[in-house]
């Protein structure tokens, strides 16, 4: 609940107030809000430097929010102050906090909000936009914003955490993580670039396997371990763990076939893939493990522990979630 102190506080630097909703009949004619959640006061964080945003996004977001009977604040993120601005937005306890920024920023805000924070609505403003597409089924941030405002409801989003990095869609651990840029290039129609990424990934595909153990079980070997959240997994019917898919290849031909499945169709049908649910996962390798965490490439340590988060944060999204990028 908003306090009087919060309502009377001056807007933060680089914040644009769209104004409180007009009283009585003056609010008529505005677009209707969802009846599934209270949306009296909202904040939207906008990073105009993100790839999918643009320099006019703050003004455009403010104009859209002004069409609804609510009080809104638009905050333009500034490089060195982003962490501080995120903290200020969470401390203000809005009914919903929208994020129009890169994938990493959206993940960071959701992780900091946690299960007890305000409703979070990550709009597609990054490169891969895995989480926004899973929630809203679109790469158009304006469409996603309206969808959340008009059809959104509180939705508990499960996820995982590895080495302090939260993920809400999928984590790929092992050398096939190097195929991720090729898949994204194909999605964007950049076939020459996809071929270049694919050749580069193949050269590194047999640099080392990972050992993994699921829920305290025996250690096994795999070329890669893919951990998929219930939000986007086609195989998970319950919110009781991550889908753990072990990928095993023995030669270049199998690697190409598995990569083709991962890029174009349901890779679970490949005989070199085995899946099962898991809540606690341990992964180790002889060298640092390449990974893709919700579309963000990174290097983990030689040993990494992953835990399932049954209620990582609360989102404002249609029920059920759109899950456009289900895998």
């Amino acid at each position: 609940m908003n306090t009087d102190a919060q309502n009377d506080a001056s807007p933060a630097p680089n914040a644009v107030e769209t104004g409180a909703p007009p009283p009585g009949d003056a609010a008529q004619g505005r677009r209707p809000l969802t009846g599934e959640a209270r949306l009296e006061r909202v904040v939207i964080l906008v990073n105009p430097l993100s790839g999918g945003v643009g320099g006019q996004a703050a003004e455009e977001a403010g104009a859209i929010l002004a069409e609804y009977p609510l009080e809104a604040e638009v905050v333009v993120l500034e490089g060195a102050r982003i962490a501080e601005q995120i903290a200020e937005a969470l401390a203000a306890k809005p009914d919903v906090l929208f994020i129009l920024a890169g994938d990493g920023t959206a993940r960071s805000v959701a992780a900091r909000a946690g299960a007890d924070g305000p409703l979070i609505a990550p709009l597609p403003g990054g490169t891969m936009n895995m989480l926004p597409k899973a929630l809203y089924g679109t790469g158009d941030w304006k469409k996603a914003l309206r969808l959340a405002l008009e059809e959104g409801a509180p939705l508990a989003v499960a996820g995982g955490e590895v080495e302090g990095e939260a993920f809400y869609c999928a984590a790929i651990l092992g050398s096939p993580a190097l195929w991720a840029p090729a898949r994204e290039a194909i999605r964007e129609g950049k076939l020459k670039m996809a071929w270049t990424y694919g050749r580069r990934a193949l050269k590194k595909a047999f640099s080392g396997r990972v050992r993994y153990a699921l829920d305290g079980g025996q250690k096994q070997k795999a070329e890669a371990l893919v951990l998929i959240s219930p939000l986007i997994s086609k195989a998970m019917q319950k919110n009781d763990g991550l889908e753990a898919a072990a990928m095993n290849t023995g030669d270049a031909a199998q690697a190409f076939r598995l990569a083709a499945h991962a890029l174009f169709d349901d890779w679970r049908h490949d005989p070199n893939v085995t899946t099962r649910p898991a809540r606690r996962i341990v992964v180790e390798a002889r060298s640092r493990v390449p990974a893709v965490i919700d579309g963000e490439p990174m290097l983990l340590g030689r040993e990494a522990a992953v835990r399932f988060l049954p209620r990582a944060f609360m989102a404002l999204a249609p029920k059920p979630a759109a899950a456009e990028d289900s895998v």
Side-chain angles (χ1 to χ4, degrees), residues 49-50 53 89 94 108 122 146 169 179 208 211 217 226 241 268 296 298:
L49 299 181
S50 293
V53 178
S108 176
R146 293 192 185 280
C169 295
W179 286 96
R211 291 178 179 269
V226 182
R268 289 181 188 82
E296 297 277 333
M298 62 185 63

Side-chain angles (χ1 to χ4, degrees), residues 55-299:
Q56 304 301 314
E59 291 79 6
E60 292 171 338
I64 291 174
L65 291 170
E67 298 175 14
Y68 296 86
L70 50 75
E71 178 185 349
E73 179 181 344
V74 181
V75 179
V76 178
L77 295 176
E78 303 177 306
R81 294 193 64 243
I82 288 180
E84 180 183 351
Q85 289 173 303
I86 291 174
E88 291 171 350
L90 290 170
K93 298 182 179 179
D95 295 319
V96 60
L97 176 57
F98 290 94
I99 305 103
L100 180 54
D103 301 318
T105 301
R107 284 196 304 113
S108 176
V109 173
R112 292 177 66 172
D116 299 324
L119 294 176
I120 300 298
L123 305 177
T127 303
M128 294 189 73
N129 297 312
M130 292 184 68
L131 181 57
K133 287 180 179 178
L135 292 172
Y136 307 113
T138 178
D140 183 336
W141 70 262
K142 297 176 184 178
K143 182 178 179 180
L145 176 57
R146 293 192 185 280
L147 190 63
L149 290 169
E150 298 178 10
E151 301 180 28
L155 176 69
V157 177
E161 185 180 70
V162 54
E163 290 194 354
E165 292 288 341
F167 63 92
Y168 309 107
C169 295
I172 306 174
L173 312 180
S175 54
L178 302 167
W179 286 96
R183 181 184 186 192
E184 187 62 19
I186 286 178
R187 284 184 172 183
E188 296 176 358
K190 301 175 182 178
L191 299 184
K192 184 176 181 179
M193 182 180 295
W195 174 248
T196 300
Y197 284 140
R199 291 184 61 187
R200 185 182 305 165
L202 185 64
K203 289 180 181 179
K204 298 180 180 180
F206 303 102
S207 58
R209 308 184 101 193
V210 297
R211 291 178 179 269
Y212 68 94
L214 306 179
D215 292 329
Q218 292 185 342
K219 290 184 178 179
Q220 303 180 61
K221 291 183 179 180
E223 191 66 36
L225 187 68
V226 182
L227 303 172
I228 306 168
S229 78
L231 178 65
I232 67 167
S233 172
K234 293 178 180 178
M236 298 291 290
Q237 301 300 319
K238 298 180 180 179
N239 190 31
D240 57 358
L242 300 168
E243 180 188 5
M247 296 183 173
N248 292 280
T249 56
D251 56 36
Q254 290 180 347
F256 268 122
R257 186 183 69 243
L258 184 54
H261 279 308
L263 291 169
F264 297 113
D265 56 30
D266 191 348
W267 42 268
R268 289 181 188 82
H269 295 160
D270 192 285
N272 291 301
V273 177
T274 58
T275 70
R276 55 157 286 188
R279 299 176 69 93
R280 293 181 296 108
I281 303 99
V282 176
V283 178
E284 60 182 40
R286 293 182 179 179
S287 58
R288 298 184 67 183
V289 180
V292 174
I293 309 297
D294 275 0
E296 297 277 333
M298 62 185 63
L299 274 178

